[in-house]
Amino acid sequence: MEHRPMKDVALLGSTGSIGTQTLDVVRENPDKFNLKVIAAGSSTDLIRKQITEFKPAIVIMANKDSAQLLAQEFPSIDVYSGKNSLKEVAGSCDIIVNAIVGFAGLPVTLSALNQGKILALANKESLIAAGPVVQKARRTPGAEIIPVDSEHSALHQCLRGYETSYDAPSSAVQKLILTASGGPFRGLSREELKSVTIKKALNHPTWDMGPKITIDSSTLMNKGLEVIEAHELFGVPFGQIEVIVHPQSIVHSMVEFADSSVIAQLSLPDMRLPIAYALNYPQRNEAKWGAINWSEISKLEFEKPDTENFPCLKLAYQAGEAGQTAPAWLSAANEVVVDAFLKKQINWIDIPHLISLALDKYDDLPARDEDDIYAADLQARLVTKQIMESK
């Protein structure tokens, strides 16, 4: 059997849902992955356990006080804090897993690509918000994005072998088909949606995810953001990207080719499978997650999404088609509104309406460089907060 050198891994966002599941994959493959860098916000209790088990060389904390505390407790480990530390240290690894939540993950995405690294991307917001800027960084020799989202990992796998470049698809690709579970409120009427609670919205029927992405899934905004992500990752026009609801979450996505053949990627819903795919790429290694017992699969259902009661999906297509910094504006407005819902400041039913009002305020701002993205993000947040305050 071919001997493969261990990969040095930087895991940024190690205490979140994707982060802890990435650790499961590393834990099962101690001869393949060396966890060199871990980064988190301020959760020192969980980080302590991770340091003790995985013995990383470098730890980065967003919270300065947490970093100082850990530095005292673990003097043999280099402990840093601040955004610049994330950008500088990640470059010392073979593969960077960006599992930071939200727009805050953008500096890592750009830094990893600009340094010609393999980026296992679980932070969709950075690609969505800064698409034009990220595309420039992707052209750095050696730079490559391997998506960790289950749907985009599926598309990556379906396209593998058919494309010479994922950002320049051949004419053989007719359509990308993203599947959606439909979230916890699939089939509910608008009147029923008025009584949605935080507890209900966080109770996803299929996936165990962090609060922000779980709320996005309940509104179908997550699927809308994934449409933009698919466009940016694979270069397919929005008119050739379709969303279909698939409650069982076994078919993770599909690619329809010009001859009407459809190739799909299937597995039981387990995020550790796409994480393992990204970490092992371009090889495939044995994994114990996601195997299907076909005798237990009684049916696979598919239906159109309800964009009348879940208009966030349409809003995402609208922002994606507008291009430039419109996706950044959408992503920022969504983050503000979802945060307000989780703080019980607004109702669930208000989320798409407020995002729509924020998009109405969007001015055609260019996306020439990183500063343009940050400016659009900041302005969108201010505008969205002003809209909420005026209601």
Side-chain angles (χ1 to χ4, degrees):
M1 182 177 292
E2 178 188 358
H3 175 72
R4 296 169 186 154
M6 290 184 69
K7 294 180 181 179
D8 285 335
V9 177
L11 173 56
L12 312 181
S14 67
T15 59
S17 175
I18 294 296
T20 54
Q21 291 178 89
T22 300
L23 293 177
D24 285 344
V25 176
V26 172
R27 188 179 288 115
E28 290 294 319
N29 296 272
D31 59 329
K32 294 184 176 69
F33 307 116
N34 171 44
L35 193 65
K36 184 177 180 180
V37 180
I38 58 174
S42 59
S43 181
T44 52
D45 289 342
L46 189 50
I47 280 287
R48 282 191 188 94
K49 295 178 182 177
Q50 293 176 354
I51 292 173
T52 301
E53 179 180 1
F54 294 96
K55 298 177 175 56
I58 298 168
V59 173
I60 306 169
M61 301 297 291
N63 183 280
K64 189 175 181 180
D65 292 337
S66 298
Q68 291 176 342
L69 183 63
L70 291 170
Q72 293 172 357
E73 293 183 33
F74 300 94
S76 62
I77 293 175
D78 292 327
V79 182
Y80 303 97
S81 65
K83 294 180 180 178
N84 288 333
S85 299
L86 288 173
K87 294 193 291 185
E88 293 167 5
V89 173
S92 66
C93 296
D94 300 307
I95 183 166
I96 293 89
V97 181
N98 187 354
I100 296 171
V101 176
F103 184 73
L106 176 59
V108 171
T109 292
L110 291 175
S111 176
L113 295 174
N114 282 323
Q115 294 181 70
K117 298 294 181 177
I118 294 177
L119 175 66
L121 186 63
N123 173 267
K124 66 169 64 69
E125 289 87 353
S126 60
L127 178 60
I128 291 161
V133 179
V134 172
Q135 297 301 355
K136 294 177 185 177
R138 287 177 79 181
R139 292 195 282 270
T140 304
E144 188 164 8
I145 298 176
I146 310 299
V148 169
D149 273 347
S150 62
E151 295 83 359
H152 301 87
S153 175
L155 292 173
H156 193 280
Q157 294 177 63
C158 292
L159 288 167
R160 193 171 172 182
Y162 289 87
E163 303 302 316
T164 56
S165 173
Y166 288 113
D167 57 358
S170 74
S171 58
V173 175
Q174 183 69 25
K175 188 187 297 183
L176 303 183
I177 305 168
L178 290 161
T179 57
S181 69
F185 308 130
R186 180 176 63 92
L188 296 188
S189 67
R190 182 167 180 80
E191 196 61 34
E192 291 171 313
L193 291 171
K194 291 179 180 178
S195 61
V196 163
T197 63
I198 293 176
K199 183 178 180 180
K200 290 178 180 177
L202 289 174
N203 185 26
H204 194 278
T206 308
W207 298 99
D208 180 16
M209 307 175 290
K212 193 265 181 186
I213 191 173
T214 304
I215 300 303
D216 283 351
S217 182
S218 74
T219 64
L220 287 193
M221 177 57 84
N222 187 53
K223 202 53 51 179
L225 295 176
E226 288 178 359
V227 167
I228 301 175
E229 184 180 5
H231 168 75
E232 293 294 343
L233 281 170
F234 306 113
V236 173
F238 285 98
Q240 292 173 244
I241 304 174
E242 181 181 348
V243 172
I244 195 80
V245 173
H246 169 51
Q248 290 79 25
S249 296
I250 289 175
V251 178
H252 297 293
S253 277
M254 300 173 271
V255 176
E256 180 181 318
F257 292 90
D259 60 0
S260 298
S261 294
V262 176
I263 294 180
Q265 187 268 325
L266 288 74
S267 71
L268 292 181
D270 192 318
M271 280 306 300
R272 290 171 294 186
L273 193 147
I275 292 169
Y277 173 80
L279 289 181
N280 285 299
Y281 184 82
Q283 287 82 30
R284 284 185 183 269
N285 289 317
E286 184 178 347
K288 63 180 183 180
W289 303 290
I292 296 173
N293 183 337
W294 291 100
S295 64
E296 295 179 356
I297 304 298
S298 59
K299 60 181 177 180
L300 298 175
E301 299 172 293
F302 302 93
E303 61 188 55
K304 288 185 178 180
D306 178 2
T307 55
E308 293 304 314
N309 287 322
F310 300 89
C312 283
L313 183 56
K314 290 193 293 187
L315 295 176
Y317 271 99
Q318 176 186 329
E321 292 279 11
Q324 293 292 337
T325 53
W329 193 281
L330 172 81
S331 179
N334 180 62
E335 283 192 23
V336 170
V337 172
V338 168
D339 183 63
F341 170 67
L342 289 170
K343 291 178 178 176
K344 300 182 179 180
Q345 296 170 352
I346 62 170
N347 295 320
W348 184 92
I349 199 76
D350 298 324
I351 292 175
H353 178 61
L354 291 168
I355 295 171
S356 178
L357 292 176
L359 274 179
D360 288 342
K361 299 288 186 181
Y362 171 70
D363 197 3
D364 191 18
L365 302 171
R368 296 162 299 196
D369 53 35
E370 193 173 344
D371 288 340
D372 287 340
I373 305 302
Y374 288 121
D377 176 85
L378 177 60
Q379 189 173 345
R381 291 174 191 275
L382 292 173
V383 166
T384 307
K385 289 175 182 177
Q386 289 170 356
I387 290 172
M388 289 194 298
E389 289 168 0
S390 67
K391 293 298 176 184

